[in-house]
Amino acid sequence: MVRPHKNKGVTPEPWRMERCRIVKPDNESEQLDDGLAVYFRGPRSFTTEDVVELHLHSGRAIISSVLAVLSQLPFCRPAEAGEFTRRAFHGGRLDLTQVEGLKDLINAETEGQRRIAMMAAGGTVRARFEELRSGIIGCLANVEALIDFGEGEDIEEGVYEQARSRAQDLLAAIQTHLKDDRRGEIIRSGVRLAIFGPPNAGKSSLLNFLAQREAAIVTPVPGTTRDILELSLDIGGLPVIVADTAGLRITDDLVESIGIERAQNAVRAADISLCVLSLPEVLVETPEGPSLMMPPGLETLIAPETLFLFNKSDLSSPSAHQQVLKLAGARGQHSAWVASLSSGEGTTDFLSGFAAALHDRFNLGEDEFSAEMPLITRERHRVHLESARRFLQAFLDTSPADVVLGAEELRYAAQALGKVSGLIDVEDILDAVFKDFCIGK
Ligand SMILES: Nc1nc2c(ncn2[C@@H]2O[C@H](COP(=O)(O)OP(=O)(O)OP(=O)(O)O)[C@@H](O)[C@H]2O)c(=O)[nH]1
Ligand SMILES: [Mg+2]
């Protein structure tokens, strides 16, 4: 039972924090805590229902005694996991994308995750999906009007063409969202980065440098790392799952060859890969001048977007540093750095350049709610958006003579998008739009 300090009566003023004595209902002289209470009157509360929040001292005994007293009240029970959010969803306060965003916000460990979660929790994602859905419903309203009234007498000409051109624009917008290289999903769940290269190049040293601890074993013995070692790190605000792999070389050793196969698979499965090479070993003098000699077994794993770290710069001259970058550039490898993981030379530039390359790759702009931020952050969104795309395409492929079938495709497209937010039935919006639709002249 909560008793205001000043005896103002039992009905508290809503949305106003009041200092209270927390007492036992059957024995008001027994005070459990001295705290604060605020009454949120529905629907202006998180759950849209009436809510009372108690602010108590956080001692374990205080909390358990207050909870014990509360659970004796016939109308009180402890909330189930996620129950407040579930009630907020049922009350229409949040849609599913906001619920997901809220969960991600609580779990966010990096700046990128926080920003993308904030966009969902704050309703920006909801609004963007809703915009697409109401666009489709606008098309549907046109088509339904044709079905009900027929072109000519009651309804202006060209209504079907209008619906088609609007549907084409919407289809283009959806296709752009779908072609996002899974950026949103990657930012949310982490970029998979594979470090690869020949043995002894300094791959494990790089992992340790990024993790700022001795996570991997580093020795002068080539072939030290046998299996994949993965760590979740925050690099420039992005969650990155970094995998250190076995050095790639031809070997008869069974264990090492399994490790090498795993390394190759990790590189192929990664979102981004970083090749570590020992600068003095790959920069060789030939009769034609300096040349970049790639160790065997690497070429098939190198792509234009592969990042390069030429390590062990302490063992070569400054002119060699310039030469190696020039030669890498000539091969089309423009994201390359020279550093020494032993002496620390060049590592600051490498780290900032590497973080910038990640940001560029995943297009994480500076603006918190930039339109550049990817819309899709989960497979669930992608599935519904993909199905909306298919239905819209089916509408566009339907002959104008089959206007009833066309309307059905649009209805399915709108429903598919409605499943992302999980909130309103398509008919609700249709009624609203249709009401304002101009019929006749
Ligand atoms: N001189 C010099 N030595 C380095 C540098 N970075 C790493 N090393 C040394 O190179 C050796 C190999 O380093 P690792 O990090 O174990 O190399 P790796 O690529 O993981 O090797 P494997 O696991 O065998 O494939 C160790 O003795 C390191 O101390 C550097 O920048 N300069
Ligand atoms: Mg290693």
Side-chain angles (χ1 to χ4, degrees):
M1 182 86 45
V2 179
R3 282 268 174 269
H5 263 269
K6 291 175 227 150
N7 240 346
K8 283 195 210 156
V10 274
T11 310
E13 200 182 316
W15 310 294
R16 191 190 145 92
M17 209 166 231
E18 296 208 40
R19 185 151 168 227
C20 298
R21 287 188 308 121
I22 318 286
V23 295
K24 278 194 167 176
D26 52 359
N27 179 7
E28 294 198 13
S29 62
E30 191 176 341
Q31 184 168 335
L32 301 174
D33 195 15
D34 183 356
L36 295 163
V38 56
Y39 164 48
F40 293 91
R41 192 162 61 207
R44 284 177 57 199
S45 70
F46 177 66
T47 61
T48 71
E49 298 160 338
D50 285 351
V51 171
V52 173
E53 255 182 36
L54 299 182
H55 294 244
L56 309 173
H57 292 100
S58 61
R60 214 187 293 173
I62 296 175
I63 290 170
S64 64
S65 68
V66 174
L67 286 178
V69 161
L70 283 174
S71 58
Q72 278 166 19
L73 300 172
F75 49 87
C76 278
R77 64 164 172 81
E80 285 161 19
E83 187 170 349
F84 279 90
T85 311
R86 178 180 282 269
R87 286 177 181 235
F89 169 69
H90 286 304
R93 161 78 68 238
L94 303 175
D95 82 332
L96 282 184
T97 62
Q98 289 171 294
V99 171
E100 289 166 342
L102 206 60
K103 188 166 157 269
D104 290 344
L105 201 55
I106 293 164
N107 295 330
E109 287 184 349
T110 70
E111 182 60 12
Q113 285 174 324
R114 185 195 65 75
R115 284 165 63 179
I116 206 159
M118 196 62 215
M119 206 174 88
T124 311
V125 172
R126 172 183 181 166
R128 284 166 76 183
F129 274 113
E130 209 44 46
E131 201 180 305
L132 292 172
R133 193 169 79 109
S134 47
I136 295 174
I137 286 166
C139 296
L140 183 55
N142 278 22
V143 175
E144 292 274 6
L146 268 185
I147 296 171
D148 287 357
F149 301 98
E151 204 160 72
E153 268 182 41
D154 298 322
I155 208 146
E156 61 218 79
E157 302 259 323
V159 169
Y160 196 78
E161 284 64 38
Q162 264 177 36
R164 271 186 66 86
S165 94
R166 226 166 141 184
Q168 254 150 1
D169 292 347
L170 288 163
L171 183 66
I174 290 179
Q175 274 164 339
T176 311
H177 287 307
L178 285 167
K179 276 197 233 128
D180 61 355
D181 299 324
R182 295 182 53 252
R183 283 189 296 118
E185 282 135 300
I186 287 171
I187 294 170
R188 196 177 76 80
S189 54
V191 181
R192 301 195 74 85
L193 167 78
I195 301 175
F196 72 107
N200 218 32
K203 301 180 295 303
S204 303
S205 305
L206 174 62
L207 180 82
N208 291 350
F209 167 72
L210 293 174
Q212 306 265 293
R213 67 185 172 94
E214 301 298 311
I217 301 172
V218 168
T219 76
V221 182
T224 298
T225 305
R226 294 287 179 116
D227 209 345
I228 290 174
L229 177 61
E230 272 189 352
L231 292 182
S232 290
L233 302 175
D234 176 343
I235 300 179
L238 268 181
V240 185
I241 304 151
V242 187
D244 177 24
T245 61
L248 304 169
R249 65 171 167 183
I250 295 155
T251 174
D252 293 332
D253 184 302
L254 178 66
V255 180
E256 193 178 3
S257 63
I258 295 171
I260 289 173
E261 203 183 319
R262 287 188 179 187
Q264 289 162 334
N265 292 338
V267 176
R268 291 189 192 107
D271 300 310
I272 193 161
S273 58
L274 199 162
C275 180
V276 181
L277 297 166
S278 166
L279 198 166
E281 276 172 50
V282 294
L283 187 66
V284 292
E285 275 302 328
T286 66
E288 292 81 40
S291 166
L292 199 56
M293 197 185 68
M294 282 293 171
L298 246 62
E299 291 288 1
T300 55
L301 297 174
I302 294 174
E305 58 276 9
T306 305
L307 310 177
F308 279 84
L309 175 64
F310 293 97
N311 186 31
K312 308 199 183 183
S313 64
D314 51 301
L315 303 180
S316 56
S317 66
S319 65
H321 304 172
Q322 298 307 319
Q323 262 167 1
V324 83
L325 290 178
K326 215 167 131 197
L327 289 166
R331 283 176 48 108
Q333 312 289 173
H334 298 293
S335 299
W337 298 270
V338 168
S340 165
L341 291 167
S342 302
S343 72
E345 175 196 26
T347 50
T348 311
D349 285 351
F350 159 69
L351 197 57
S352 59
F354 174 51
L358 286 177
H359 272 247
D360 277 0
R361 188 74 55 90
F362 300 103
N363 217 346
L364 196 66
E366 289 305 310
D367 181 4
E368 183 116 350
F369 299 119
S370 108
E372 292 295 306
M373 287 291 267
L375 184 62
I376 305 171
T377 51
R378 285 163 199 265
E379 186 59 23
R380 190 181 79 76
H381 304 167
R382 188 172 298 283
V383 167
H384 295 315
L385 208 55
E386 176 58 41
S387 108
R389 187 198 63 74
R390 277 200 310 276
F391 288 122
L392 264 184
Q393 186 62 61
F395 163 70
L396 290 169
D397 294 343
T398 307
S399 143
D402 293 328
V403 65
V404 176
L405 280 183
E408 211 43 15
E409 303 292 3
L410 285 175
R411 200 182 305 275
Y412 286 139
Q415 272 168 356
L417 284 179
K419 284 182 186 160
V420 178
S421 71
L423 269 186
I424 324 154
D425 191 81
V426 63
E427 294 299 335
D428 293 351
I429 295 200
L430 185 58
D431 287 345
V433 175
F434 205 65
K435 196 167 61 157
D436 299 326
F437 191 80
C438 167
I439 297 160
K441 297 176 191 129

